[in-house]
Amino acid sequence: MWGVIRQKTQSIRPAFSAIRHFSSAAKEITVREALNTALDEEMSADPKVFLMGEEVGEYQGAYKISKGLLDKYGPDRVLDTPITEAGFAGIGVGAAYYGLRPVVEFMTFNFSMQAIDHIINSAAKSNYMSAGQISVPIVFRGPNGAAAGVGAQHSQCYASWYASCPGLKVLTPYSSEDARGLLKAAIRDPDPVVFLENELLYGESFPVSAEVLDSSFCLPIGKAKIEREGKDVTITAYSKMVGFALKAAEILAKEGISAEVINLRSIRPLDRSTINTSVRKTNRLVTVEEGFPQHGVGAEICTSVIEESFGYLDAPVERIAGADVPMPYAANLERMAVPQIEDIVRAAKRACHRSVPLVAAA
């Protein structure tokens, strides 16, 4: 593997696929399968791509994302590492300096705290500090945010942490289409990408078109997707919360409220244009995230809308976020600590002046 970079650079593949014509027939695949096939195809297409992390090889991945890859590509390109995130993240950054394209898997992004110096000070800043002479084409990926019953040290969302750092790109897939298209884009990108998955979504199945299943498929980084069009209120969400927002929109529709749901897909860069265009149409905004409220992704979105579309707002912006406490272990308290569908419904109703305001209710 290490000799690969001495070969002449192959023709550069496009960052995202051009418009092509495919059958519209849909097939369902899980997010796990989408990630696995994306890794497989990118490793097949580019010998400089390799995967490293704890249990990614012999065990087929802690969540079976790398199933079958060791047998196909061998131990030089699917590397099992010791339990030392600082060690293998640093090795990955060094390999990226040298022209390889590492995909570094964290068993959970909570463990990325052990490696954050390499992610922030080495990967994110090197291109700027070298005046563009050093590219760092590396992907840091793994499950992020709350799972179920794993306590405070395994449940935190790091979207706003990494999104605050210039030099990083931060992606948050929701569906199988997101997972497949965004991971391919991340691997092909010349800059470091933090790829935040969700453990509870791995087994979820989503319909995908023939276009999505094509090996050339790739999604543009920095572009949100309108999952559901509406005219009364805009709801922004990412990762698992997109599903909650869509279910909330179905409930709201039965009560005569038309909600537009935006799947952010990319936290940095943030698609401010799509968000503000939607708010200028609906005149109301509800932001949804699992992370802590203070300095969160929702706070950044609120600021963007206040700066660019304040005159269009007909109601205060509503922010739905996780509770401002470490994640409880008890199941009943854990449920109270993360946003629920009913929280989104209530917030949308408040924005549309269809329920009692929070202050009055208190």
Side-chain angles (χ1 to χ4, degrees), residues 207-270:
V208 293
S209 65
E211 178 185 6
V212 173
L213 294 173
D214 188 82
S215 61
S216 66
F217 177 72
C218 191
L219 288 172
I221 291 175
K223 183 64 178 174
K225 179 185 179 183
I226 297 177
E227 295 280 355
R228 179 184 178 122
E229 293 191 355
K231 59 183 178 62
D232 295 328
V233 59
T234 297
I235 304 175
T236 64
Y238 62 90
S239 191
K240 183 170 178 267
M241 289 294 106
V242 176
F244 280 30
L246 288 169
K247 290 176 182 176
E250 292 177 8
I251 296 171
L252 291 165
K254 295 175 183 177
E255 301 189 31
I257 297 175
S258 174
E260 182 149 292
V261 177
I262 297 178
N263 172 6
L264 296 174
R265 282 182 167 171
S266 175
I267 304 300
R268 184 183 186 104
L270 185 65

Side-chain angles (χ1 to χ4, degrees), residues 1-2 43 47-61 66 69-71 73-84 87-89 91-92 95 100-106 141:
M1 178 188 66
W2 304 109
M43 291 179 73
K48 295 189 295 295
V49 178
F50 71 97
L51 174 67
M52 65 190 307
E54 297 158 4
E55 299 184 349
V56 299
E58 294 289 348
Y59 191 66
Q60 310 281 310
S66 53
L69 298 184
L70 176 64
D71 290 340
Y73 297 104
D76 283 346
R77 295 184 64 195
V78 182
L79 289 81
D80 278 321
T81 67
I83 303 174
T84 170
F88 64 76
I91 290 171
L100 297 174
R101 291 183 173 270
V103 178
V104 174
E105 176 178 311
F106 295 121
R141 55 155 293 271

Side-chain angles (χ1 to χ4, degrees), residues 50-321:
F50 71 97
L51 174 67
M52 65 190 307
E54 297 158 4
E55 299 184 349
V56 299
E58 294 289 348
Y59 191 66
Q60 310 281 310
Y63 303 98
K64 303 303 180 240
I65 304 299
S66 53
K67 184 177 181 180
L69 298 184
L70 176 64
D71 290 340
K72 186 171 184 179
Y73 297 104
D76 283 346
R77 295 184 64 195
V78 182
L79 289 81
D80 278 321
T81 67
I83 303 174
T84 170
E85 285 77 12
F88 64 76
I91 290 171
V93 173
Y97 284 169
Y98 203 55
L100 297 174
R101 291 183 173 270
V103 178
V104 174
E105 176 178 311
F106 295 121
M107 197 175 292
T108 163
F109 256 91
N110 297 271
F111 299 158
S112 74
M113 293 294 91
Q114 301 294 323
I116 197 165
D117 181 57
H118 294 299
I119 299 170
I120 300 297
N121 282 327
S122 299
K125 298 176 182 177
S126 290
N127 186 261
Y128 175 81
M129 294 179 70
S130 68
Q133 296 181 78
I134 299 176
S135 292
V136 193
I138 187 170
V139 178
F140 301 99
R141 55 155 293 271
N144 169 71
V150 291
Q153 294 173 325
H154 297 76
S155 301
Q156 191 162 320
C157 175
Y158 289 93
S160 63
W161 282 55
Y162 288 115
S164 69
C165 181
L168 291 178
K169 294 174 182 176
V170 181
L171 305 181
T172 54
Y174 159 62
S175 65
S176 299
E177 176 181 321
D178 293 353
R180 187 169 156 77
L182 291 175
L183 184 54
K184 282 173 165 284
I187 293 172
R188 297 177 191 183
D189 200 85
D191 297 313
V193 178
V194 172
F195 196 85
L196 302 174
E197 301 157 12
N198 185 284
E199 179 184 339
L200 299 180
L201 287 176
Y202 285 148
E204 291 286 323
S205 294
F206 294 87
V208 293
S209 65
E211 178 185 6
V212 173
L213 294 173
D214 188 82
S215 61
S216 66
F217 177 72
C218 191
L219 288 172
I221 291 175
K223 183 64 178 174
K225 179 185 179 183
I226 297 177
E227 295 280 355
R228 179 184 178 122
E229 293 191 355
K231 59 183 178 62
D232 295 328
V233 59
T234 297
I235 304 175
T236 64
Y238 62 90
S239 191
K240 183 170 178 267
M241 289 294 106
V242 176
F244 280 30
L246 288 169
K247 290 176 182 176
E250 292 177 8
I251 296 171
L252 291 165
K254 295 175 183 177
E255 301 189 31
I257 297 175
S258 174
E260 182 149 292
V261 177
I262 297 178
N263 172 6
L264 296 174
R265 282 182 167 171
S266 175
I267 304 300
R268 184 183 186 104
L270 185 65
D271 190 354
R272 301 172 193 274
S273 175
T274 293
I275 295 167
N276 279 279
T277 298
S278 177
V279 170
R280 293 180 183 191
K281 176 178 68 173
T282 66
N283 309 117
R284 297 170 180 87
L285 172 65
V286 177
T287 70
V288 187
E289 63 186 308
E290 272 190 331
F292 299 135
Q294 186 161 323
H295 309 304
V297 175
E300 180 65 25
I301 292 172
C302 291
T303 300
S304 175
V305 169
I306 294 299
E307 290 174 343
E308 300 179 40
S309 305
F310 180 74
Y312 291 84
L313 289 172
D314 287 344
V317 174
E318 295 278 349
R319 271 199 304 156
I320 303 297

